Amino acid sequence: MAVKLRRGAARAYPKAAGKRIATSRDQRRVVQRACSLLLGYPDERLDDEIAGVRAGSDSLPGVLRDELESFCATAQSWGLRALQEHYVRTFDQRRKCALWLTYYTHGDTRARGQAILAFREVMLRAGFEMAREELPDHLPVVLEFCALADSDDGERLLEANRECLEVVRTALHSGDSPYAHLLDALLMT
């Protein structure tokens, strides 16, 4: 859990932040699915999604379960409207918090279009059909693919973009965002 310190002091991250812990494929899928749901724009399904994440996290190591619970507790205490406003300020208005993975490697260039198509091709080859109206490099979409696909292609996409995820995680911590808990959990798997 991030600790708010006085101005100019070093920021404290969770002890395990950025360090991988031993997890099974099923446990990684639980974390990926939870993060996929909770990193999407919060809407009227939020309470049901939180309940589902809490119910499904029993099999996780304590540190992962604690990170997910920290986000869930904060989201519920803030309420839907405040969380929606925070989501927009965080993910839509801060470049270092963008959830489109190819943005970090290609910026807004033509090459990014090719990279997005590559994500789409990987997903199509694995038989994954996107249910969301997002680009295939959108982190919640990639996480859903990881959690639901039979192949390890999704995990390879995540691994290839780990540095991008670290940038997002660091920016979320810098902004004292509860979403940092989700990236902490994800990057520990």
Side-chain angles (χ1 to χ4, degrees):
M1 172 182 276
V3 178
K4 194 167 191 170
L5 302 173
R6 72 185 190 295
R7 188 177 190 160
R11 221 181 132 64
Y13 286 4
K15 288 181 184 175
K19 295 182 183 176
R20 293 189 175 174
I21 60 172
T23 53
S24 68
R25 178 64 179 119
D26 286 342
Q27 289 171 325
R28 289 192 305 277
R29 285 178 193 255
V30 168
V31 171
Q32 291 159 352
R33 185 65 178 143
C35 290
S36 171
L37 291 170
L38 298 174
L39 282 168
Y41 181 76
D43 60 22
E44 65 281 344
R45 298 172 295 183
L46 180 65
D47 286 335
D48 291 338
E49 290 168 346
I50 287 174
V53 167
R54 284 176 166 154
S57 67
D58 290 342
S59 67
L60 298 177
V63 66
L64 294 175
R65 191 173 50 249
D66 292 348
E67 291 295 340
L68 295 176
E69 177 53 33
S70 291
F71 174 82
C72 291
T74 301
Q76 284 194 312
S77 72
W78 283 12
L80 181 59
R81 178 72 178 171
L83 193 63
Q84 287 172 330
E85 290 171 359
H86 177 76
Y87 188 95
V88 170
R89 276 192 318 272
T90 301
F91 296 116
D92 295 344
Q93 297 176 357
R94 293 185 64 205
R95 285 185 180 176
K96 288 190 177 181
C97 294
L99 295 177
W100 294 275
L101 298 178
T102 59
Y103 176 79
Y104 296 96
T105 54
H106 296 88
D108 283 329
T109 65
R110 284 187 191 171
R112 182 170 176 228
Q114 290 299 106
I116 290 170
L117 286 175
F119 272 75
R120 184 172 182 260
E121 288 299 316
V122 168
M123 292 175 180
L124 288 175
R125 275 196 313 269
F128 179 76
E129 293 186 35
M130 291 179 19
R132 302 173 193 232
E133 292 186 24
E134 285 289 352
L135 294 173
D137 70 326
H138 193 243
L139 182 56
V141 173
V142 174
L143 292 171
E144 183 177 358
F145 172 56
C146 289
L148 301 177
D150 291 330
S151 71
D152 290 332
D153 293 337
E155 288 199 335
R156 283 193 286 277
L157 283 175
L158 281 180
E159 188 60 35
N161 289 279
R162 187 170 177 88
E163 287 182 38
C164 306
L165 298 173
E166 289 286 358
V167 168
V168 175
R169 184 182 73 82
T170 300
L172 291 171
H173 275 288
S174 294
D176 290 324
S177 174
Y179 286 99
H181 294 292
L182 300 178
L183 270 289
D184 285 341
L186 178 63
L187 290 169
M188 281 188 265
T189 63

mmCIF file with all atom_site columns, all heavy atoms in Angstrom, residues 23 127 167:
data_model
loop_
_atom_site.group_PDB
_atom_site.id
_atom_site.type_symbol
_atom_site.label_atom_id
_atom_site.label_alt_id
_atom_site.label_comp_id
_atom_site.label_asym_id
_atom_site.label_entity_id
_atom_site.label_seq_id
_atom_site.pdbx_PDB_ins_code
_atom_site.Cartn_x
_atom_site.Cartn_y
_atom_site.Cartn_z
_atom_site.occupancy
_atom_site.B_iso_or_equiv
_atom_site.pdbx_formal_charge
_atom_site.auth_seq_id
_atom_site.auth_comp_id
_atom_site.auth_asym_id
_atom_site.auth_atom_id
_atom_site.pdbx_PDB_model_num
ATOM 1  N N   . THR A 1 23  ? 3.257   -17.953 -8.527  1.00 0.00 ? 23  THR A N   1
ATOM 2  C CA  . THR A 1 23  ? 1.818   -18.118 -8.736  1.00 0.00 ? 23  THR A CA  1
ATOM 3  C C   . THR A 1 23  ? 1.595   -19.199 -9.781  1.00 0.00 ? 23  THR A C   1
ATOM 4  O O   . THR A 1 23  ? 2.426   -19.397 -10.673 1.00 0.00 ? 23  THR A O   1
ATOM 5  C CB  . THR A 1 23  ? 1.159   -16.815 -9.248  1.00 0.00 ? 23  THR A CB  1
ATOM 6  O OG1 . THR A 1 23  ? 1.865   -16.348 -10.402 1.00 0.00 ? 23  THR A OG1 1
ATOM 7  C CG2 . THR A 1 23  ? 1.144   -15.735 -8.185  1.00 0.00 ? 23  THR A CG2 1
ATOM 8  N N   . GLY A 1 127 ? -8.285  -17.335 -31.316 1.00 0.00 ? 127 GLY A N   1
ATOM 9  C CA  . GLY A 1 127 ? -9.735  -17.535 -31.267 1.00 0.00 ? 127 GLY A CA  1
ATOM 10 C C   . GLY A 1 127 ? -10.455 -16.590 -30.325 1.00 0.00 ? 127 GLY A C   1
ATOM 11 O O   . GLY A 1 127 ? -11.622 -16.807 -29.986 1.00 0.00 ? 127 GLY A O   1
ATOM 12 N N   . VAL A 1 167 ? 5.858   1.789   -16.232 1.00 0.00 ? 167 VAL A N   1
ATOM 13 C CA  . VAL A 1 167 ? 5.672   3.238   -16.358 1.00 0.00 ? 167 VAL A CA  1
ATOM 14 C C   . VAL A 1 167 ? 4.303   3.629   -15.803 1.00 0.00 ? 167 VAL A C   1
ATOM 15 O O   . VAL A 1 167 ? 4.180   4.589   -15.030 1.00 0.00 ? 167 VAL A O   1
ATOM 16 C CB  . VAL A 1 167 ? 5.818   3.695   -17.834 1.00 0.00 ? 167 VAL A CB  1
ATOM 17 C CG1 . VAL A 1 167 ? 5.341   5.134   -18.019 1.00 0.00 ? 167 VAL A CG1 1
ATOM 18 C CG2 . VAL A 1 167 ? 7.251   3.530   -18.305 1.00 0.00 ? 167 VAL A CG2 1
#
